[in-house]
Amino acid sequence: IFSKIDSIIAKHEPKAIMTTLPPFSSGKFAVQISKRFDLPLLIDMRDGWAKWCISPYGSRIHYYLTYLEEKEIFKHASAVTTVTPQLLDVFRKTHPEIDTRKFLVITNGYDYKLALPEKIKKDE
C-alpha cells in the first residue's frame, strides 16, 4: 500500500497529513504516513475515543489499550482539533502530559452572517 502512497506524495507534495477520527483505525495509519514522509500530522476528532461511552469496554485492559493508542496518536500529532469545548476538556484531562496548546476547537457549522450577501447583513 505504501507504493501507492509514495507516488501520491511525490505527485502532490502535501505539506501535512490530516485525518478525521473516527474511524479510529485511520489514526495509526496516518501516523505511519506522517513519519515515513516527515510531514506534520493533524488529527480532527469528531467524537471522543478512549472516553467515548457509547458502550462499556469488555475489560479494563480493553480501555487501557484504547487509551494508549489514543495517547500515542495525539503525542505524534502537531495539532488535534475537536468540535466542542467539552470534548476538548475530555482530551486534555485524559492526557495531561500532552501540551494543552495542541488541542483546538473548530465547531461544526459556521457563522451564518458570514455567508449572507452584504445587503441582507445591512437589513438585519
Side-chain angles (χ1 to χ4, degrees):
I1 195 163
F2 272 109
S3 63
K4 291 184 187 274
I5 293 172
D6 288 343
S7 65
I8 291 169
I9 297 291
K11 179 179 178 181
H12 296 285
E13 299 178 357
K15 303 295 183 230
I17 300 297
M18 182 176 183
T19 190
T20 297
L21 306 179
F24 301 118
S25 59
S26 67
K28 280 185 179 180
F29 189 53
V31 168
Q32 290 173 340
I33 295 169
S34 170
K35 286 180 178 180
R36 180 179 178 110
F37 298 99
D38 193 29
L39 293 168
L41 176 60
L42 311 171
I43 302 290
D44 178 41
M45 295 297 297
R46 309 312 291 168
D47 293 301
W49 187 358
K51 299 282 177 106
W52 196 12
C53 297
I54 201 160
S55 62
Y57 287 99
S59 69
R60 288 180 190 237
I61 192 69
H62 287 96
Y63 163 75
Y64 188 66
L65 292 173
T66 301
Y67 161 81
L68 289 176
E69 185 176 356
E70 178 182 76
K71 178 179 170 180
E72 285 306 309
I73 291 168
F74 286 1
K75 279 175 56 178
H76 182 74
S78 297
V80 179
T81 62
T82 189
V83 294
T84 67
Q86 295 82 2
L87 190 51
L88 177 118
D89 287 342
V90 168
F91 292 139
R92 284 180 173 169
K93 288 176 183 172
T94 304
H95 302 288
E97 68 284 356
I98 296 176
D99 185 352
T100 60
R101 295 173 295 179
K102 185 181 280 197
F103 297 98
L104 308 163
V105 173
I106 300 175
T107 59
N108 287 326
Y110 59 92
D111 182 346
Y112 77 94
K113 290 183 180 182
L114 295 176
L116 294 175
E118 285 301 315
K119 181 179 181 337
I120 295 173
K121 288 179 189 176
K122 290 177 187 174
D123 292 342
E124 285 191 341

